[in-house]
Amino acid sequence: MCHHRLPPHHDTRRESTMSRTTTSTYAGFTAEERAAMKEHAQEVKKEARRRSRADKAAEAERDVLAKIAEMPEPDRTMAERVHAIVKAEAPALAPKLWYGMPAYARDGKVVCFFQSADKFKARYATLGFNDEARLDDEPMWATSFAVTDVTAEVGKRIAALVRQAAG
């Protein structure tokens, strides 16, 4: 009896799924997303070059303030207010750049961040919270908030969220 190798099993379902995936309308990352990833790579390299912990903290805050200063209005004013609120309400959170955005971290892990509307050509700025934020006291909670102005009332809401997130 002669044994011949059989061709590998041909699964047409898998092939159609694979071709559908590769021929979908996904066109890759946007120019803004690619720029944010490049910024993040530069941030990581810059942070690795810093010497002492105090140098890192001071330089990181200067970097955040410089990034905020580059923002167009009204994002700049909102980011300045958010920065002041975070510094006042959660001084243990360390300012740092994260994908080119002002962010605030605990033990190097980002708790919250401010994304200007201009960064991704969005309609509004965003105050976002990552997994490190301690906002989950119920089965469902918000992790980002659209921000169009930091009024006194909005500032109070941000302060309460930041205090809770910082734990």
Side-chain angles (χ1 to χ4, degrees):
M1 177 182 236
C2 187
H3 290 88
H4 294 282
R5 294 189 96 203
L6 295 174
H9 182 333
H10 188 71
D11 185 351
T12 56
R13 270 186 327 209
R14 183 167 181 234
E15 184 177 277
S16 66
T17 302
M18 288 170 41
S19 63
R20 188 171 52 242
T21 302
T22 58
T23 60
S24 71
T25 59
Y26 178 71
F29 295 106
T30 65
E32 293 83 9
E33 290 168 331
R34 284 191 304 276
M37 288 186 283
K38 286 179 183 177
E39 280 183 295
H40 183 61
Q42 291 170 344
E43 292 158 9
V44 170
K45 287 178 188 176
K46 189 174 184 179
E47 192 171 319
R49 287 191 301 260
R50 293 180 176 149
R51 296 188 194 332
S52 74
R53 184 175 235 196
D55 286 347
K56 286 181 182 184
E59 285 185 45
E61 183 158 15
R62 279 193 299 272
D63 291 346
V64 166
L65 293 172
K67 185 58 77 174
I68 290 171
E70 292 173 3
M71 291 179 187
E73 287 297 343
D75 292 342
R76 181 183 324 121
T77 298
M78 290 188 293
E80 288 169 347
R81 290 180 181 156
V82 167
H83 181 77
I85 291 167
V86 174
K87 294 289 289 176
E89 299 296 328
L93 296 182
K96 69 181 281 178
L97 287 179
W98 185 64
Y99 292 95
M101 297 178 282
Y104 305 88
R106 177 178 40 247
D107 300 325
K109 295 180 181 176
V110 173
V111 174
C112 61
F113 60 92
F114 179 84
Q115 178 182 302
S116 75
D118 185 65
K119 182 152 188 77
F120 294 105
K121 311 295 182 241
R123 192 176 78 162
Y124 47 79
T126 304
L127 176 64
F129 295 88
N130 285 345
D131 291 352
E132 288 296 311
R134 296 177 179 141
L135 297 178
D136 50 331
D137 59 356
E138 296 181 22
M140 186 174 115
W141 62 94
T143 58
S144 65
F145 299 85
V147 182
T148 58
D149 191 10
V150 182
T151 63
E153 183 60 32
V154 170
K156 288 177 188 175
R157 290 178 63 197
I158 291 171
L161 284 167
V162 167
R163 278 193 306 271
Q164 184 179 351

